[in-house]
């Protein structure tokens, strides 16, 4: 009887272990697979190409994962729910040109930064929205929950802020004339203009995002993963991989000196750190 019970217990234990590994995303090769929340419509940073999530952010994360011994599974989501999804465990990592603002540090922890950028307002040609004052009272579109949302709602006097779930929706409304401006990261705005040369749009007012570099988001309690991301990123900066991947996606925008080979990187101080 004891032998039979032992066999049954062994089978049940093995089955439970298999289910646990499957639930944690364990791969056949033994490496842990982590779920990454990202977007599919914001080139050159994050986008879908032939059914595959790619862009500077995601290809850099693939390189870091390889260095640190884990695998990544990218899952498309809306930006407005991304950080909450990271905080509650729906996603292990957020990869979406996420600016590491103080407000966001209350919800998640950030890796060190891998990019800096600019916020710009895409407008109709000739609209002459070239400075902050000219945006006052205008109807401005933003991706909900983005840094651009904070900018339009907090720094533009009297702006009528219209929130969208993704970038494509906002560009469509701008072309239709229902928006005065579409507030986006500069690289995304420029990429759209490059891909649509016949559309009568231009870049208007632009401001540098100085103190909030783009970084990967993880749950605050996941310090082990945070350390792995920072370790892999430091190695990728040191051997020139960051510069190589950046050049693949950004043809005309220089990489920050801190991220060039041998540079110190872009340190991010998390809340409570």
């Amino acid at each position: 009887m004891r032998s039979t019970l032992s066999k049954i217990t062994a089978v049940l234990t093995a089955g439970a272990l298999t289910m646990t590994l499957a639930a944690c995303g364990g791969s056949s090769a033994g490496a842990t697979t982590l779920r990454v929340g990202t977007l599919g419509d914001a080139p050159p940073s994050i986008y879908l190409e032939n059914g595959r999530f790619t862009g500077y952010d995601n290809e850099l994360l693939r390189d870091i994962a390889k260095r640190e011994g884990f695998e990544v599974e990218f899952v498309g989501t809306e930006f407005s729910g991304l950080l909450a999804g990271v905080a509650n465990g729906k996603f292990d990592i957020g990869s979406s040109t996420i600016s590491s603002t103080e407000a966001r540090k209350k919800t998640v922890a950030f890796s060190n930064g891998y990019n800096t950028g600019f916020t710009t307002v895409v407008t109709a040609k000739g609209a002459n929205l070239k400075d902050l004052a000219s945006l006052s009272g205008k109807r401005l579109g933003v991706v909900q929950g983005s840094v651009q949302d904070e900018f339009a709602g907090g720094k533009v006097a009297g702006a009528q802020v219209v929130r969208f779930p993704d970038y494509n929706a906002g560009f469509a409304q701008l072309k239709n004339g229902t928006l005065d401006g579409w507030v986006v990261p500069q690289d995304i705005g420029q990429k759209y203009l490059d891909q649509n040369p016949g559309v009568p749009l231009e870049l208007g007012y632009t401001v540098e995002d100085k103190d909030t570099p783009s970084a990967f988001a993880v749950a605050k309690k996941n310090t082990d993963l945070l350390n792995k991301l920072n370790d892999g990123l430091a190695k990728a900066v040191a051997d020139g991989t960051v510069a190589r991947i950046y050049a693949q996606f950004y043809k005309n925008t220089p990489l920050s000196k801190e991220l060039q080979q041998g540079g110190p990187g872009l340190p991010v101080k998390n809340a409570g750190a």
Side-chain angles (χ1 to χ4, degrees):
M1 177 66 73
R2 179 172 295 180
S3 176
T4 301
L5 287 174
S6 297
K7 291 179 179 178
I8 292 173
T9 301
V11 170
L12 291 174
T13 301
L17 179 60
T18 299
M19 291 175 65
T20 300
L21 288 174
C24 292
S27 71
S28 59
T32 300
T33 300
L34 303 183
R35 284 171 59 86
V36 181
T38 190
L39 276 67
D41 65 341
S45 305
I46 39 172
Y47 61 99
L48 267 173
E49 185 173 70
N50 299 321
R52 181 179 185 273
F53 285 101
T54 185
Y56 170 62
D57 299 43
N58 291 339
E59 295 304 332
L60 177 57
L61 183 55
R62 282 190 173 99
D63 178 84
I64 292 172
K66 185 176 180 181
R67 293 173 188 267
E68 298 298 317
F70 61 89
E71 297 179 357
V72 286
E73 174 192 2
F74 291 94
V75 181
T77 187
E78 293 182 357
F79 189 84
S80 59
L82 176 55
L83 295 186
V86 171
N88 66 28
K90 180 180 179 180
F91 305 116
D92 297 292
I93 303 172
S95 173
S96 187
T97 314
I98 309 170
S99 297
S100 51
T101 66
E102 293 303 314
R104 290 172 178 173
K105 290 174 185 177
K106 297 176 182 178
T107 303
V108 297
F110 286 102
S111 71
N112 288 329
Y114 56 80
N115 201 3
T116 58
F118 295 78
T119 286
T120 194
V121 183
V122 185
T123 71
K125 283 187 175 180
N128 200 33
L129 301 182
K130 301 294 186 181
D131 55 35
L132 193 60
S134 67
L135 299 175
S136 178
K138 295 295 190 291
R139 186 174 172 85
L140 303 177
V142 298
V143 169
Q144 184 176 356
S146 66
V147 167
Q148 289 72 38
D149 190 348
E150 296 176 17
F151 165 79
K155 295 186 178 180
V156 182
Q160 303 173 51
V161 182
V162 184
R163 296 174 173 85
F164 297 91
D166 57 48
Y167 289 99
N168 287 336
F171 278 118
Q173 292 296 314
L174 181 62
K175 287 194 298 180
N176 291 339
T178 56
L179 294 175
D180 296 307
W182 177 222
V183 191
V184 297
Q186 184 184 38
D187 55 282
I188 292 174
Q190 187 61 59
K191 185 75 170 182
Y192 182 84
L193 297 183
D194 292 344
Q195 293 178 338
N196 299 273
V199 177
L201 300 175
E202 64 182 4
L203 300 187
Y205 177 70
T206 300
V207 60
E208 186 176 2
D209 305 323
K210 293 181 179 180
D211 302 319
T212 55
S214 298
F216 299 115
V218 302
K220 285 188 172 186
K221 63 183 179 182
N222 203 342
T223 55
D224 181 62
L225 177 56
L226 183 63
N227 290 336
K228 287 183 178 180
L229 291 174
N230 284 337
D231 180 68
L233 177 59
K235 291 174 180 175
V237 172
D239 68 11
T241 298
V242 166
R244 176 181 58 79
I245 297 176
Y246 186 89
Q248 177 184 346
F249 292 97
Y250 295 87
K251 306 299 184 184
N252 302 310
T253 306
L255 178 64
S256 169
K257 291 181 179 180
E258 290 84 356
L259 292 168
Q260 294 175 15
Q261 186 170 356
L266 295 169
V268 170
K269 185 176 181 180
N270 286 297

